[in-house]
Amino acid sequence: MQSLNRVLGSLNAYRFIAIGAVVSLLLLTAANAVTPQLFRWAIDQGIAQKNLQIVLYSAALMVLVAVGRGLFNFGQSFWAEAASQGVAYDLRNTIFTKIQNLSFSYHDQSQTSQLLTRITSDIEQIRTFVGTTLIQVVGSVVTLVSIAIILLLMDWQLALITLVMVPIAGFLLAQFLTRNQKLFERVQEQLGNLNGVLQENLFGIRVVKAFVREPVEMGRYSKLNDDLIAVNMRTIRAIANTFPVIFLLSNLITLAVVGYGGAEVIGERFSIGELVAFNSYLMFILQPILLIGFAAPVIAQAAASAERVYEVVDAEIEIRDRPNAIPFEKCGGRITFENVHFRYPGAATEALKGISFETKPKELIAILGATGSGKSTIMNLIPRFYDVTEGAVRIDGRDVRDLTLESLRSHIGIVFQETTLFSGTIRDNLTYAAPNAPLERVIEVAKTAQIHDFITSLPDGYETLVGERGVGLSGGQKQRIAVARTLLTDYRILILDDSTSAVDAKTAAQIQEALDELMRLHTCTAFVIAQRISTVRNADRILLMNQGQLVAQGTHDELMHSSPLYGSILESQVRQAA
Ligand SMILES: Nc1ncnc2c1ncn2[C@@H]1O[C@H](COP(=O)(O)OP(=O)(O)O)[C@@H](O)[C@H]1O
Ligand SMILES: [Mg+2]
């Protein structure tokens, strides 16, 4: 309920639209309440008195009121929908912005598909609540109360007989809902399962085909589809069982009204017109009860959705600027790891166990080690994708946590181990972090990354579309675009995390050669994570990682003599090459 309160609070930004909806709703209720009175007037003063003028007047008024009802009805739903669109728009933007700002550790622990659901179906759920359910419930309550008052004023005894229906129908409906609550939840759950399988299948369709698992996947999907139909049919049956009872109840009330009211009319305590009017009010009583009943599960769902959405909105941003953070401008090239320990959130063991080293200005550092030894983790700590658990990472003696994130990250050029390109042209992708780079610069970095020739061989050159629906690129081509994309930024420290793993050895060596030169010219420090000995051979220093520990460091020649591990890695590579 607290989260729904917050949703209502967010309506504040659209208060004039919301007030428009409420005013329309009140006018609609008034128009609804007035119509039976016009009937009464037509019958008692017109038909019974044989006064054609009053009959015609009341008919004209009824037309007018009907037009008004149409207008107010339109206004009510239009403005309620408009306000709900605004609320959903704001929520979508808020949650998207939040997702941009959340730390790596949050994204590690949450599933992409769950975040997708929150942005799409949970927000839609909230929107439906604001745009439809809320106004219906408010309208129903207003109608019920005002009709009850009118009936009591008209004939309190008959009114009491009639109003007995309200609690009974309410009770039946509540019973129906509680008994079938599980069923409604099952429908939602089944729908979720079905979509889950669909999504997973779409992501993994290549694997499915490669292992010829299509029939199994189809079986899995149609099984869930059958289940969905089965629960849906059960809810339909449950509805078909309960509703005739409620309608029967309302028919019985009509009988009571005609019977008791008829007797009153004969006894001349009640006019025919009043009886007809009274009877037409009955229609307005049943509908609100049904609406409120059906709104209950929708409200519960919306509350659950709102809670999930606000959970993301309120998620703590673990990595943020300290109050007195200063910008990172000059880089001297001295990067220090001081007894750094690091444990990924939720992980049982430390990924880094007491790492200490210091780089010298303009040094080219290579990091070598088996997969899982902690190479990427070391690199993650310099731009503060994560903060150290213990110890410190310093640049020129200053703790990276004392620098502003924006300045720190914009001066660290990093090429990730896994390449992600966005949909758009190759040029868009290259200039992702430097949108204003002139074409000559773009071509220059593409040449350095050994991808220019490939790009110009494409029919549309730099304007070729990539990503979804664009041309397919090989892993190595993507990697080279990613390298060029990073080279175009205003980096001082460069980090290449296994960025040429999918590129053939010859091209990789060419890239490395071009990069070596560039690194020594433009960077204050550069790190290269690589598996190939040929790549690390040129480095000024090699850090050798093993199971989260820095086991040896030195030049290629030094390590050849001093480190058995280095020797064995080298040996296995030489054997592979042979
Ligand atoms: N996001 C993460 N969450 C939890 N554990 C992780 C994460 N990334 C890496 N690890 C773990 O940390 C260790 C070091 O990983 P990593 O630095 O990626 O190794 P390398 O880059 O040397 O292959 C591994 O045991 C890995 O399972
Ligand atoms: Mg790695």
Side-chain angles (χ1 to χ4, degrees):
M1 276 304 130
Q2 214 172 355
S3 47
L4 278 188
N5 264 341
R6 255 174 98 173
V7 171
L8 294 185
S10 62
L11 262 175
N12 197 22
Y14 303 93
R15 55 180 167 279
F16 293 113
I17 301 179
I19 288 171
V22 172
V23 169
S24 303
L25 170 116
L26 292 177
L27 289 174
L28 177 66
T29 313
N32 281 339
V34 116
T35 311
Q37 297 301 331
L38 287 175
F39 261 114
R40 192 197 58 164
W41 190 48
I43 292 171
D44 288 349
Q45 312 301 322
I47 299 171
Q49 312 285 335
K50 299 206 172 14
N51 184 338
L52 186 60
Q53 206 175 5
I54 288 188
V55 174
L56 292 179
Y57 266 149
S58 58
L61 276 177
M62 273 186 238
V63 171
L64 213 65
V65 171
V67 170
R69 270 162 69 176
L71 280 178
F72 304 142
N73 214 343
F74 172 79
Q76 168 199 297
S77 45
F78 179 81
W79 279 316
E81 282 286 331
S84 79
Q85 293 290 353
V87 168
Y89 171 85
D90 290 346
L91 268 181
R92 275 195 296 265
N93 274 344
T94 309
I95 203 168
F96 189 83
T97 311
K98 182 71 187 202
I99 287 174
Q100 304 309 298
N101 290 322
L102 280 167
S103 319
F104 276 47
S105 59
Y106 182 88
H107 293 293
D108 285 345
Q109 286 169 342
S110 68
Q111 276 181 1
T112 318
S113 62
Q114 280 175 3
L115 281 179
L116 265 176
T117 332
R118 285 176 199 192
I119 302 191
T120 51
S121 67
D122 277 340
I123 291 188
E124 185 55 25
Q125 200 69 264
I126 295 172
R127 200 195 61 72
T128 314
F129 163 73
V130 174
T132 318
T133 317
L134 187 62
I135 197 91
Q136 273 178 356
V137 170
V138 175
S140 299
V141 172
V142 172
T143 306
L144 262 185
V145 171
S146 51
I147 300 288
I149 291 173
I150 292 174
L151 292 188
L152 284 168
L153 287 178
M154 284 178 76
D155 183 334
W156 66 269
Q157 284 145 326
L158 195 52
L160 286 183
I161 295 175
T162 313
L163 292 175
V164 166
M165 179 172 93
V166 177
I168 297 180
F171 173 74
L172 281 177
L173 202 62
Q175 262 212 327
F176 163 77
L177 289 170
T178 44
R179 225 179 313 129
N180 295 299
Q181 177 73 15
K182 285 264 159 3
L183 213 53
F184 293 137
E185 279 167 17
R186 279 279 305 283
V187 173
Q188 289 300 319
E189 216 173 284
Q190 288 293 346
L191 205 60
N193 290 344
L194 197 66
N195 286 338
V197 169
L198 177 64
Q199 196 180 24
E200 206 179 78
N201 182 277
L202 283 175
F203 280 134
I205 191 74
R206 286 173 188 80
V207 179
V208 173
K209 288 185 159 309
F211 287 106
V212 208
R213 298 300 277 177
E214 295 98 328
V216 180
E217 289 289 316
M218 282 189 284
R220 197 153 76 113
Y221 190 77
S222 58
K223 164 88 182 44
L224 286 175
N225 209 356
D226 290 343
D227 291 350
L228 178 65
I229 288 290
V231 242
N232 263 329
M233 285 314 293
R234 276 178 61 194
T235 51
I236 291 172
R237 228 168 287 137
I239 291 175
N241 284 342
T242 307
F243 282 80
V245 181
I246 295 182
F247 289 123
L248 176 72
L249 192 75
S250 85
N251 287 338
L252 285 179
I253 296 290
T254 308
L255 266 184
V257 169
V258 173
Y260 181 86
E264 297 261 282
V265 172
I266 291 171
E268 291 189 349
R269 287 179 298 274
F270 212 43
S271 74
I272 296 181
E274 279 172 318
L275 186 60
V276 170
F278 201 97
N279 197 39
S280 11
Y281 281 122
L282 294 185
M283 247 180 22
F284 291 116
I285 287 194
L286 191 62
Q287 203 191 11
I289 301 173
L290 294 181
L291 279 179
I292 293 176
F294 276 98
V298 179
I299 294 174
Q301 270 173 20
S305 287
E307 207 153 294
R308 284 194 292 262
V309 166
Y310 286 122
E311 203 178 273
V312 180
V313 172
D314 295 340
E316 197 198 341
I317 299 176
E318 285 167 26
I319 297 193
R320 47 166 77 236
D321 284 348
R322 281 187 175 169
N324 295 319
I326 56 161
F328 169 51
E329 280 155 352
K330 276 224 168 64
C331 174
R334 192 159 55 88
I335 295 175
T336 321
F337 271 59
E338 254 177 34
N339 190 28
V340 168
H341 288 260
F342 179 71
R343 184 198 303 275
Y344 281 101
T349 54
E350 286 188 324
L352 297 179
K353 303 166 185 144
I355 303 286
S356 298
F357 65 86
E358 186 168 83
T359 67
K360 294 194 239 354
K362 296 253 168 220
E363 215 178 1
L364 172 57
I365 305 274
I367 305 180
L368 195 71
T371 48
S373 57
K375 305 182 296 292
S376 300
T377 307
I378 291 191
M379 295 300 108
N380 282 336
L381 298 181
I382 303 174
R384 283 189 77 199
F385 293 147
Y386 302 87
D387 275 341
V388 297
T389 316
E390 212 180 293
V393 176
R394 300 180 189 281
I395 299 178
D396 303 326
R398 193 177 291 281
D399 196 314
V400 285
R401 285 167 292 186
D402 291 330
L403 300 169
T404 61
L405 270 181
E406 203 248 327
S407 67
L408 180 69
R409 288 184 184 165
S410 55
H411 290 130
I412 297 178
I414 185 160
V415 184
F416 288 103
Q417 195 166 4
E418 278 134 34
T419 318
T420 310
L421 298 184
F422 295 104
S423 52
T425 65
I426 290 185
R427 189 175 173 183
D428 292 339
N429 270 289
L430 289 172
T431 58
Y432 181 71
N436 299 321
L439 189 59
E440 308 88 76
R441 274 285 293 143
V442 177
I443 291 173
E444 197 181 301
V445 294
K447 280 182 176 159
T448 310
Q450 310 292 322
I451 189 71
H452 173 72
D453 290 345
F454 166 75
I455 297 174
T456 46
S457 76
L458 295 167
D460 293 331
Y462 280 85
E463 302 306 322
T464 306
L465 285 170
V466 293
E468 278 196 67
R469 261 173 231 131
V471 299
L473 296 172
S474 77
Q477 287 157 351
K478 280 190 206 161
Q479 276 189 338
R480 282 179 276 165
I481 291 178
V483 169
R485 170 175 67 186
T486 299
L487 293 181
L488 213 48
T489 62
D490 184 20
Y491 61 90
R492 306 283 152 78
I493 298 169
L494 192 64
I495 298 172
L496 303 178
D497 189 347
D498 230 352
S499 325
T500 52
S501 58
V503 180
D504 62 281
K506 187 163 157 264
T507 315
Q510 283 169 349
I511 297 176
Q512 200 57 50
E513 205 174 307
L515 278 179
D516 282 355
E517 200 176 316
L518 205 71
M519 283 172 175
R520 286 182 216 272
L521 271 176
H522 294 288
T523 64
C524 62
T525 320
F527 295 89
V528 189
I529 298 177
Q531 297 297 330
R532 293 195 184 97
I533 297 274
S534 59
T535 315
V536 295
R537 186 173 258 149
N538 292 333
D540 298 317
R541 194 164 14 140
I542 300 162
L543 306 182
L544 187 60
M545 291 293 298
N546 189 29
Q547 298 184 348
Q549 278 170 325
L550 177 57
V551 288
Q553 50 178 308
T555 61
H556 174 70
D557 290 334
E558 285 166 6
L559 287 179
M560 283 261 282
H561 293 113
S562 64
S563 168
L565 180 61
Y566 188 78
S568 70
I569 294 177
L570 185 63
E571 198 191 348
S572 71
Q573 294 222 349
V574 171
R575 209 181 309 126
Q576 237 175 30

